[in-house]
Amino acid sequence: MVILEAQKIYKSYGNKFNKQEVLKGIDVSIGKGEFLSIMGASGSGKTTLLNVLSSIDHVSTGSIKIEGKEITSLKEKQLAEFRKKSLGFIFQDYNLLDTLTVKENILLPLSIAKVSRKAADSLFHSLASELGIREIEHKYPNEISGGQKQRTSAARAFIHEPSIIFADEPTGALDSKSASDLLNKLSELNMKRGSTIAMVTHDPVAASYSSRVIFIKDGQIYTQLTKGEQDRQAFFKDIMKTQAVLGGVQHES
Amino acid sequence: MSLNQLIFRNLKKNLKNYYLYVFALIFSSALYFSFVTLQYDPSMDEMTGSIKGGAALRAASVLLVAIVSIFLIYANNLFIKRRSKEIGLFQLIGMTKGRIFRILTLENFLLYSASVIIGIGAGFAFSKLILMILFKIIDIDMLAELRFSPEALLQTAIVFAVIYLLIMLMNYLFIKRQSILSLFKVTSSTETRARKLSIFEILIGIVGITLILTGYYVSSKLFSGDFTNMNRLFMAMIFILASVIIGTYLFFKGSVSFIFNLIRKSKNGYLNINEVLSLSSIMFRMRSNAMLLSIITTVSALAIGLLSLSYISYYSVDNGAASSQPDMFTLADSEDAAAFTAKLDAENIDYSQKEIEVLQANLNIGDIMDSALEEMNFDPANVSMGIVSDEALEEIDAEADEVLFAGYNDALGRFYNFEDEGNITLFSKSSSMDLRYIGLEKQSVVPYFFSGGGFPAAIVDEAVFTQLQNDLDPEIQLETSTYIGMNIKEEAQYELANEVFNDLFADAEGMNMSRMNSSASQKLVMGLAMFIVGFLGLTFLITSGCILYFKQMDESEDEKPSYVILRKLGFTQWDLLRGIQAKQLFSFGIPLVLGLSHSYFAVQSGWFFFGNDLWTPMLIVMVVYTGLYSIFGVLSLMYYKRVIREAL
Ligand SMILES: Nc1ncnc2c1ncn2[C@@H]1O[C@H](COP(=O)(O)OP(=O)(O)O)[C@@H](O)[C@H]1O
Ligand SMILES: [Mg+2]
């Protein structure tokens, strides 16, 4: 079952006289329970695509349907409503609120959705245990490590069981151990809970945790790879090969 | 890009951001200029004559300079910190510190001098209005003329030039002390890093609230008879001041965080958007702004308190004159009275005249009176009072063995307290009479002069009065024992009669008194005091409002990333705005409410020395102050609105 269907997405920045086309007609569809990676060189428009798909930014033209609902025509208020119900976000720089504790940060989406306090508490306990952040629930973001921050951020994305979770370079600021920890957790949650995940990354290792990878070049989809039955190692090699062909910079940071 | 272009661009950009700073500059220079113009206005000394209005204004203008310069320096500090990134960037591209300083100096000079010039123009235009307001307040019929005063211009120019140099000096020191790296860090180091509340802070929080409440409690007991000598009274006042001021500081340092933390704890991690934006942000920020906030709160309390007291005095002038002089005119003796009535007759003015015989006698009122200040040299068993016969008064009647008091003064009333009834002994020279005290009339019947300066007069039956008259103690009698009072029947002729009175007794000092004259001269003093306090209060209000606004501007920039996150999570602009409203309610409301409550307790502990009506004048002052102050809250809300709209 397809959960997100985007057709002929165009996106340009700037004004009439000084226009920069970043996305030039992209079609993507994401199935329910899928773990999709989006790869591409730096500046190729990955973040732009993710923002557009996740309703944070507007497309220039094109259509995006999530669960059969056209989101490009929605008003600001409806979009916000939609985001809080159906979407979850994980960002490279964590995007946690400094003045809130870990637990308060994680419970935010539930408080918008007006879930009862008791239900919220039990949701928090099970998810925090899965992600291993129970012990730090009363700490503030500046008192915990990057990996813990990102797991907190992930918990916040998952807690209200959204239809899709968008992640923009979630491992970008993490060391390799914390990164693989996080990716393991993400794919675990993806399997166990059947959550749909769309993740932007420039790291082939990170991409190898997903079930499908699409490559973007010059604002268009260059190609895509599916993991299928092969193991992670083999999928990783495939990705490396494609990336070499793509000729992009392998590591942007 | 050339240096000039750079300056011009920065100027344009900053103007948009700092329009309130520019406004504050214009406003303070306008205020200052018009104030100084007033000070140099010849009509000032003319009308105030003996009380040296010019000198009072001069003293006030010094205070005005202090407020304005502290404010401008503070505002400049905020702004230069915000621009540290830009300054660091200039340094990074190879500009020397000296050059950057020159750019800043030039840029500031343009902004500053333009604002001051506009301000002086506005001040000039407003000085007439202000003079008119002053004349209205002190109840003087004089035409306010628009006079340009070169001395005022010079003084304003010098004062603001000095402030400018001071600001430049601060900027110089700031740039000099910073390295490129630290310049980048200034804004990014958040005011407080979020962390758990320590036991120590919890303690501070509790102590703060306790100190404030203790101060309030003692202040309410100040003049209720618990502190019975001057020394202890003075100590109590010092104690109140210290405990409230320190309490205020600790309140911002700890109590706010402590209370907010309790609320937060009770939510168990489940915060709604209002709580996210208000509670969690404020509890960290108030702590780091404790000093600033407690200064603002204390000075606001002072401003509101002084304004209330001066307004109370002003408001009570007519009432006070009526109780110290029960009739429109008080005449010393029958000769003066005859001269006056002759003139009145000649002018065809209708009047009524009364003569009241007032004897002085000692009384033992120990039975109906309890406490008194020890040091007032006052023995309730032997009090000298003015005695009046009930025959002389139309509306009051006393039975043969009765006595009642008339004329109650709020200020003195704090020091003594009469029972509702009891027994009194009246001593004549060689004997004494036991009388029954039946109560107190508020309205006085003879001037203060006859009743020992504010103490009530005793009214007795004609029989008792005659008995006393025949056996007087000559030592305690006043020079004159006849009070002659006169009233004008037609309200419309009152003013004319007063002119007649003034013509007749222009140089006859002493016992001839006109209530209208006393009222007018008191109004002049009180009005001028109120005007000056009001002026300073307004300046302080606006500067402190601006400072809070600037702070909020800063905070909103700091918190912008949070708004981005929240909007991504699906909170709408309106959700955020509602949360910010809650936050502003606290940010502006806590210092305001605390300031109001401080001033309330200060005023209620001693207002009766200033007049006889507390609530109306005090509430008017508080409402006006709150209204003006709220403008800044609303302005900051509008700023936030823009920031939130741009966040995503
Ligand atoms: N807000 C914006 N305004 C103008 N140009 C932008 C904006 N955001 C991104 N771009 C441009 O779009 C291109 C793609 O950016 P982005 O999607 O962030 O790339 P990626 O995430 O793949 O590194 C870049 O060339 C960038 O300059
Ligand atoms: Mg990117």
Side-chain angles (χ1 to χ4, degrees):
Chain A
M1 191 188 128
V2 173
I3 197 159
L4 181 148
E5 173 106 62
Q7 281 172 331
K8 301 204 180 57
I9 306 180
Y10 287 83
K11 172 73 185 175
S12 47
Y13 287 113
N15 53 30
K16 249 188 279 177
F17 312 105
N18 180 17
K19 203 147 134 189
Q20 185 197 1
E21 280 219 307
V22 179
L23 303 180
K24 305 171 193 163
I26 286 189
D27 298 318
V28 216
S29 66
I30 307 177
K32 191 164 167 50
E34 197 177 4
F35 187 169
L36 175 76
S37 285
I38 301 169
M39 293 190 75
S42 176
S44 58
K46 305 183 293 289
T47 299
T48 308
L49 175 62
L50 197 78
N51 283 348
V52 161
L53 291 181
S54 61
S55 83
I56 286 177
D57 208 346
H58 297 282
V59 289
S60 299
T61 61
S63 115
I64 300 168
K65 283 197 189 123
I66 296 185
E67 290 185 312
K69 193 170 181 181
E70 181 62 50
I71 63 165
T72 50
S73 58
L74 292 183
K75 296 243 166 21
E76 147 84 24
K77 255 194 177 137
Q78 297 164 306
L79 277 179
E81 183 71 15
F82 173 73
R83 278 204 293 277
K84 77 179 155 192
K85 276 220 187 85
S86 316
L87 307 184
F89 294 94
I90 309 173
F91 301 94
Q92 173 171 354
D93 44 5
Y94 321 122
N95 276 358
L96 297 174
L97 296 184
D98 288 334
T99 53
L100 300 188
T101 61
V102 165
K103 182 174 182 185
E104 287 165 348
N105 262 297
I106 294 174
L107 288 185
L108 262 183
L110 295 183
S111 118
I112 327 178
K114 308 218 158 41
V115 174
S116 84
R117 195 173 294 256
K118 212 164 153 214
D121 218 43
S122 73
L123 280 173
F124 170 77
H125 284 311
S126 65
L127 188 58
S129 313
E130 280 179 64
L131 284 163
I133 46 177
R134 279 300 302 273
E135 314 76 62
I136 54 164
E137 60 173 291
H138 292 305
K139 294 208 162 164
Y140 287 98
N142 60 45
E143 299 171 315
I144 59 179
S145 76
Q148 287 171 322
K149 280 186 208 176
Q150 202 55 296
R151 273 180 279 153
T152 303
S153 180
R156 187 181 63 190
F158 279 96
I159 189 133
H160 54 306
E161 293 172 353
S163 326
I164 308 188
I165 288 154
F166 293 97
D168 191 355
E169 315 245 9
T171 56
L174 302 181
D175 58 87
S176 58
K177 166 82 172 61
S178 310
S180 63
D181 261 11
L182 180 77
L183 288 162
N184 276 321
K185 299 285 184 207
L186 284 186
S187 57
E188 236 176 83
L189 290 171
N190 168 247
M191 313 265 213
K192 273 216 294 227
R193 300 183 171 226
S195 322
T196 312
I197 303 176
M199 172 176 80
V200 160
T201 182
H202 65 266
D203 177 9
V205 180
S208 69
Y209 282 83
S210 59
S211 51
R212 179 160 64 110
V213 183
I214 59 178
F215 292 88
I216 298 185
K217 191 182 182 186
D218 299 331
Q220 285 178 317
I221 293 187
Y222 177 78
T223 184
Q224 64 168 327
L225 294 174
T226 316
K227 187 175 180 187
E229 295 304 309
Q230 57 188 328
D231 66 359
R232 201 162 70 74
Q233 221 51 41
F235 191 40
F236 171 70
K237 286 199 182 107
D238 273 1
I239 296 170
M240 288 295 283
K241 258 185 255 161
T242 313
Q243 216 179 23
V245 175
L246 204 69
V249 192
Q250 290 213 349
H251 295 281
E252 66 179 37
S253 54
Chain B
M1 202 189 310
S2 78
L3 192 59
N4 286 343
Q5 267 176 310
L6 203 64
I7 294 170
F8 190 67
R9 274 209 183 181
N10 278 336
L11 199 61
K12 244 171 65 186
K13 202 180 79 205
N14 290 333
L15 214 57
K16 211 173 69 200
N17 276 336
Y18 305 147
Y19 70 94
L20 200 72
Y21 177 54
V22 173
F23 167 77
L25 251 171
I26 293 178
F27 184 84
S28 32
S29 49
L31 218 57
Y32 185 75
F33 181 70
S34 53
F35 201 77
V36 180
T37 301
L38 216 61
Q39 177 190 324
Y40 284 109
D41 198 294
S43 67
M44 230 30 232
D45 281 318
E46 224 174 272
M47 65 177 197
T48 50
S50 59
I51 62 153
K52 306 237 185 324
L57 285 178
R58 222 162 7 254
S61 75
V62 173
L63 262 176
L64 201 60
V65 171
I67 297 178
V68 166
S69 44
I70 289 176
F71 161 66
L72 289 178
I73 288 173
Y74 183 84
N76 177 68
N77 261 8
L78 266 180
F79 290 136
I80 192 156
K81 270 194 199 131
R82 287 190 66 185
R83 297 183 60 188
S84 58
K85 240 187 197 141
E86 187 184 325
I87 295 169
L89 214 64
F90 288 165
Q91 256 181 289
L92 212 59
I93 59 172
M95 263 189 224
T96 61
K97 284 183 176 180
R99 182 128 181 239
I100 294 172
F101 177 65
R102 277 202 300 282
I103 295 182
L104 267 185
T105 309
L106 235 167
E107 186 196 299
N108 259 319
F109 181 76
L110 293 179
L111 204 76
Y112 194 94
S113 53
S115 308
V116 171
I117 289 171
I118 296 175
I120 288 178
F124 180 59
F126 276 116
S127 59
K128 183 175 173 181
L129 179 71
I130 288 172
L131 200 60
M132 263 157 51
I133 293 175
L134 176 60
F135 285 168
K136 176 94 190 119
I137 290 176
I138 59 183
D139 222 354
I140 275 190
D141 276 326
M142 214 191 269
L143 214 57
E145 276 174 71
L146 200 56
R147 253 196 219 91
F148 185 79
S149 146
E151 298 105 311
L153 181 66
L154 189 69
Q155 185 172 333
T156 310
I158 291 175
V159 163
F160 278 85
V162 170
I163 296 177
Y164 176 73
L165 290 180
L166 255 172
I167 288 177
M168 284 308 109
L169 182 71
M170 307 286 280
N171 285 353
Y172 179 75
L173 291 178
F174 181 83
I175 294 176
K176 179 123 200 222
R177 255 189 278 123
Q178 307 296 320
S179 73
I180 296 185
L181 273 179
S182 60
L183 277 173
F184 278 112
K185 267 188 227 140
V186 173
T187 41
S188 55
S189 70
T190 40
E191 283 187 302
T192 43
R193 301 184 70 82
R195 63 194 156 77
K196 276 211 200 72
L197 227 54
S198 67
I199 302 275
F200 181 64
E201 280 160 331
I202 293 173
L203 226 60
I204 281 184
I206 295 171
V207 171
I209 295 176
T210 317
L211 276 178
I212 293 179
L213 291 181
T214 313
Y216 284 177
Y217 177 75
V218 177
S219 87
S220 69
K221 290 271 170 261
L222 197 57
F223 292 110
S224 64
D226 290 358
F227 298 96
T228 48
N229 74 43
M230 278 302 162
N231 214 3
R232 284 182 26 209
L233 201 61
F234 185 67
M235 293 301 288
M237 286 180 186
I238 298 285
F239 172 79
I240 293 168
L241 268 184
S243 114
V244 170
I245 290 177
I246 295 173
T248 305
Y249 177 73
L250 297 183
F251 181 80
F252 287 117
K253 195 87 191 159
S255 311
V256 175
S257 321
F258 170 62
I259 295 169
F260 282 14
N261 204 43
L262 283 185
I263 300 175
R264 242 174 115 176
K265 272 264 169 57
S266 72
K267 306 276 175 194
N268 193 20
Y270 191 80
L271 301 182
N272 68 33
I273 181 74
N274 291 356
E275 289 152 358
V276 169
L277 289 174
S278 57
L279 290 187
S280 67
S281 146
I282 286 177
M283 75 184 261
F284 295 115
R285 287 181 187 280
M286 284 237 160
R287 197 158 56 188
S288 57
N289 292 331
M291 196 58 176
L292 174 77
L293 289 173
S294 41
I295 290 175
I296 288 185
T297 303
T298 312
V299 186
S300 315
L302 195 72
I304 301 171
L306 288 178
L307 270 171
S308 299
L309 289 180
S310 59
Y311 192 37
I312 286 173
S313 319
Y314 179 77
Y315 196 83
S316 312
V317 162
D318 285 331
N319 252 329
S323 72
S324 65
Q325 295 171 41
D327 299 295
M328 289 178 181
F329 298 101
T330 301
L331 293 140
D333 50 40
S334 40
E335 266 167 56
D336 284 345
F340 187 42
T341 50
K343 289 270 184 191
L344 288 180
D345 287 335
E347 296 277 352
N348 270 330
I349 299 172
D350 268 353
Y351 60 88
S352 65
Q353 182 176 351
K354 61 177 167 193
E355 292 186 15
I356 300 178
E357 211 53 33
V358 190
L359 304 175
Q360 304 294 317
N362 287 330
L363 290 88
N364 177 357
I365 57 172
D367 186 43
I368 59 158
M369 178 171 181
D370 30 81
S371 68
L373 212 61
E374 273 170 23
E375 295 188 357
M376 275 176 83
N377 246 342
F378 187 89
D379 177 13
N382 194 15
V383 188
S384 172
M385 287 176 81
I387 313 292
V388 177
S389 156
D390 65 345
E391 254 346 44
L393 307 165
E394 280 168 24
E395 37 322 328
I396 299 177
D397 187 48
E399 296 294 318
D401 63 338
E402 285 176 352
V403 58
L404 56 89
F405 290 178
Y408 179 80
N409 175 304
D410 287 289
L412 278 179
R414 290 286 151 162
F415 295 104
Y416 51 70
N417 216 350
F418 295 119
E419 305 287 336
D420 288 339
E421 47 194 31
N423 294 315
I424 282 182
T425 314
L426 171 66
F427 302 102
S428 58
K429 185 158 185 280
S430 53
S431 71
S432 69
M433 288 163 264
D434 288 327
L435 299 171
R436 211 153 47 77
Y437 171 71
I438 57 167
L440 178 69
E441 286 283 326
K442 219 171 151 103
Q443 180 58 44
S444 59
V445 293
V446 292
Y448 279 178
F449 169 78
F450 287 99
S451 59
F455 210 68
I459 300 167
V460 295
D461 187 55
E462 173 69 15
V464 177
F465 189 79
T466 322
Q467 205 177 333
L468 177 67
Q469 208 164 22
N470 294 332
D471 185 22
L472 271 182
D473 180 352
E475 269 174 39
I476 57 170
Q477 298 310 307
L478 301 174
E479 236 170 87
T480 166
S481 63
T482 312
Y483 160 57
I484 307 175
M486 236 177 251
N487 285 304
I488 304 303
K489 288 187 174 152
E490 299 287 327
E491 187 67 34
Q493 292 181 317
Y494 186 18
E495 217 156 304
L496 178 62
N498 199 49
E499 279 169 32
V500 170
F501 177 91
N502 286 342
D503 285 343
L504 198 57
F505 302 115
D507 3 74
E509 296 278 314
M511 287 299 299
N512 293 314
M513 293 187 289
S514 147
R515 197 159 81 193
M516 193 182 259
N517 287 350
S518 314
S519 258
S521 73
Q522 280 206 49
K523 264 210 172 124
L524 194 67
V525 178
M526 298 308 167
L528 194 65
M530 189 173 83
F531 177 78
I532 290 174
V533 172
F535 213 94
L536 291 176
L538 184 69
T539 315
F540 175 75
L541 170 76
I542 292 187
T543 49
S544 62
C546 280
I547 286 178
L548 286 179
Y549 176 90
F550 295 154
K551 272 265 161 220
Q552 289 306 311
M553 254 167 75
D554 240 27
E555 278 182 24
S556 70
E557 295 299 332
D558 266 11
E559 289 179 356
K560 195 168 175 176
S562 307
Y563 306 150
V564 177
I565 299 171
L566 289 167
R567 285 192 64 186
K568 279 180 184 168
L569 290 182
F571 289 102
T572 62
Q573 290 183 44
W574 301 274
D575 290 334
L576 292 190
L577 210 61
R578 237 179 309 117
I580 292 298
Q581 274 167 10
K583 176 183 166 181
Q584 294 311 75
L585 206 62
F586 289 120
S587 298
F588 283 85
I590 292 178
L592 177 69
V593 169
L594 209 57
L596 286 176
S597 117
H598 284 4
S599 61
Y600 166 74
F601 279 96
V603 168
Q604 68 85 32
S605 76
W607 66 276
F608 33 83
F609 290 113
F610 295 85
N612 43 29
D613 195 346
L614 168 66
W615 287 103
T616 320
M618 187 177 72
L619 283 182
I620 290 177
V621 167
M622 287 181 165
V623 166
V624 169
Y625 199 93
T626 306
L628 289 176
Y629 183 87
S630 313
I631 293 175
F632 292 94
V634 173
L635 282 179
S636 77
L637 215 56
M638 281 158 59
Y639 190 86
Y640 268 101
K641 202 169 171 176
R642 206 173 78 202
V643 172
I644 290 173
R645 189 159 7 95
E646 286 165 3
L648 189 70

